Structure formats: structure tokens, C-alpha cells
Amino acid sequence: MNWTRLFFSICIFLSAASSIDAQDWAMEAVECERQVFEADNPQAANEALIRKALCYRKMNDYSKASESLGRVRMYLMEPEERSELLLNKALCSAKAQNTEDALSCLEQIIASGTEVGAELKSQLDELQNSRPAPKSEDKAMLLSMLPPLGHCYTENYKEGAVSLALNALAAGWTLWQCLEGCWISGLLGGGIALNYTYMGGIGESIALVGKYNDEQKLLFNEALLALICAHIPAE
């Protein structure tokens, strides 16, 4: 038996099945939008929008799922139903990496005064208090003028040690060559090397700020997603 051919045949079959399934959900979402447009009353439109959001969730398109839930007329719902819908919208927003929208949904639940809101408030406050403040590029640039403080500011201590060593080597080479009377090689070669290591360290420190902030935002979003999932029954 040709195992390679069998393997690729299985992969093609699974891909085709997945594609057909996605197309079915996409067509169902289009049908739901038609029902929203032709709905005789707001309640029917709400039901169609919720089904449409479910279709997008099945396709793992959480951004469009959140958008669909955002169109639901929540004033027609009871407080508990509204909280449930906002929780699902927060879930979709968090999975779409839209942290601020997820937080806004949770804050609306807290403001509603429901039992779920009261429980969420203490947990969200604790999560928010543990969230590190974002780093500043301007502060990193100023600190990086004295290696390796710029790297240490973003908690990249190993990179800071490397930057300090490279700057020390470049400065040591320049000084050694000058003491030996080799002014041209010392000032020219050492100066160029020091310029690369010093200015490169400043640029790297600024870049590390963006990386640090992105990582912290991702970690916070994951913690927020876990908090939301804890309040949503398993499907």
C-alpha cells in the first residue's frame, strides 16, 4: 500500500469536508441576515442575529460573531438575558483579540446590578489590578543612553548584558588602540563599532517596548478569556 498517497488522500478528504461545512455555515449566516432584513418585529430580528452570530462562531470568525451580537436590541431583553448575551459577546471579542470591547461588555454587565455582575466585579477588579502598566518608548530611549538600563526597563536582562558587553568591547578597543598610538584604527574602527553597538542598543530598547506591551496585552487577554469562560456554561 502506498502510505504517502493514503495520507494525502485523507488530508484532501478532511479539507474538503471542512470546506463544505464552512460553506454551509456561511450560507446559513446569509439566510439569517435575510431574516433580519425581513423580520416583522424586533424580537424576530434579535433571534436571527443571535443565530447568525452562532454561525460565525462555528466558522471561528469571532470578530463577525461579536459584530452580529452588537446589533441585537438588548432593550427588549430581561436583565439576565442581557447579561448572558453580553457575556457571549465578550467571549467573541476576547477570542478576536479585541480586549477593550470585551472589557466594555463586562463593565455593562457589572453596571446592570445582576448577580453575575456582582461576581464579575470583584474578579475583574482583581485582574485589572494585576495588569502591568504599559512601558513607554520615550522612557526606554532615555534609559538606553546608559546601557543596559533600556533593556532592563523591559525586563530583557540577557539582551541588556549582551548590549553592555558589546559596548564595553567597542569602547575598550577604541581606548586600547589610542593608547597604543594607533589613532586612526582606534577612532575610526572603534568609533564605528561603538556607534553600531550604542545606537543599535537604543533602537533595540525601543523595539523591545512594543514587544513587551504586545506580550502583556496577549497575556491579559488570555486571562480575561479564562474569566469569561468561567461564567459561560460549556456548550
Side-chain angles (χ1 to χ4, degrees):
M1 179 181 292
N2 191 328
W3 292 103
T4 303
R5 178 175 295 180
L6 177 62
F7 171 76
F8 282 108
S9 297
I10 292 172
C11 289
I12 292 170
F13 173 77
L14 292 176
S15 297
S18 176
S19 177
I20 292 171
D21 187 55
Q23 289 177 8
D24 289 344
W25 286 116
M27 292 301 296
E28 179 67 20
V30 172
E31 174 61 20
C32 288
E33 183 59 34
R34 184 189 66 78
Q35 293 174 12
V36 173
F37 181 75
E38 297 178 351
D40 295 330
N41 56 76
Q43 188 63 46
N46 277 359
E47 292 174 359
L49 284 169
I50 292 171
R51 288 198 304 273
K52 183 181 178 181
L54 178 61
C55 292
Y56 282 126
R57 284 184 62 177
K58 294 294 184 180
M59 293 188 290
N60 294 325
D61 192 340
Y62 294 102
S63 180
K64 287 186 178 180
S66 176
E67 181 183 344
S68 297
L69 291 175
R71 294 169 56 195
V72 173
R73 295 173 175 86
M74 289 188 288
Y75 64 85
L76 298 173
M77 297 178 152
E78 297 296 328
E80 295 299 331
E81 293 176 328
R82 201 156 47 235
S83 294
E84 183 180 351
L85 183 135
L86 285 168
L87 268 175
N88 280 280
K89 186 175 185 298
L91 175 69
C92 293
S93 296
K95 287 194 172 185
Q97 301 297 317
N98 191 345
T99 306
E100 297 308 317
D101 187 61
L103 284 172
S104 176
C105 292
L106 296 182
E107 288 167 359
Q108 290 179 62
I109 297 172
I110 292 170
S112 68
T114 60
E115 183 179 345
V116 175
E119 187 177 353
L120 270 173
K121 186 179 187 315
S122 60
Q123 296 175 344
L124 187 59
D125 286 345
E126 183 179 352
L127 184 61
Q128 290 272 40
N129 290 334
S130 64
R131 185 180 188 181
K135 302 291 185 182
S136 165
E137 289 186 355
D138 292 337
K139 189 172 183 179
M141 183 180 66
L142 290 173
L143 288 172
S144 62
M145 292 180 181
L146 185 61
L149 295 183
H151 293 78
C152 294
Y153 176 60
T154 54
E155 301 177 9
N156 289 276
Y157 303 108
K158 290 183 179 179
E159 290 88 341
V162 172
S163 176
L164 179 62
L166 290 174
N167 278 286
L169 284 172
W173 166 265
T174 302
L175 180 61
W176 175 61
Q177 288 294 297
C178 290
L179 291 175
E180 291 292 323
C182 302
W183 296 94
I184 296 178
S185 61
L187 294 177
L188 185 61
I192 292 173
L194 187 59
N195 178 65
Y196 273 106
T197 57
Y198 186 74
M199 297 306 296
I202 293 176
E204 186 185 8
S205 296
I206 295 172
L208 286 172
V209 168
K211 182 181 178 182
Y212 174 89
N213 288 338
D214 289 343
E215 288 176 350
Q216 292 302 321
K217 183 177 179 180
L218 181 61
L219 289 173
F220 179 79
N221 190 76
E222 289 176 355
L224 185 64
L225 182 58
L227 173 62
I228 295 168
C229 289
H231 291 272
I232 297 179
E235 296 180 353

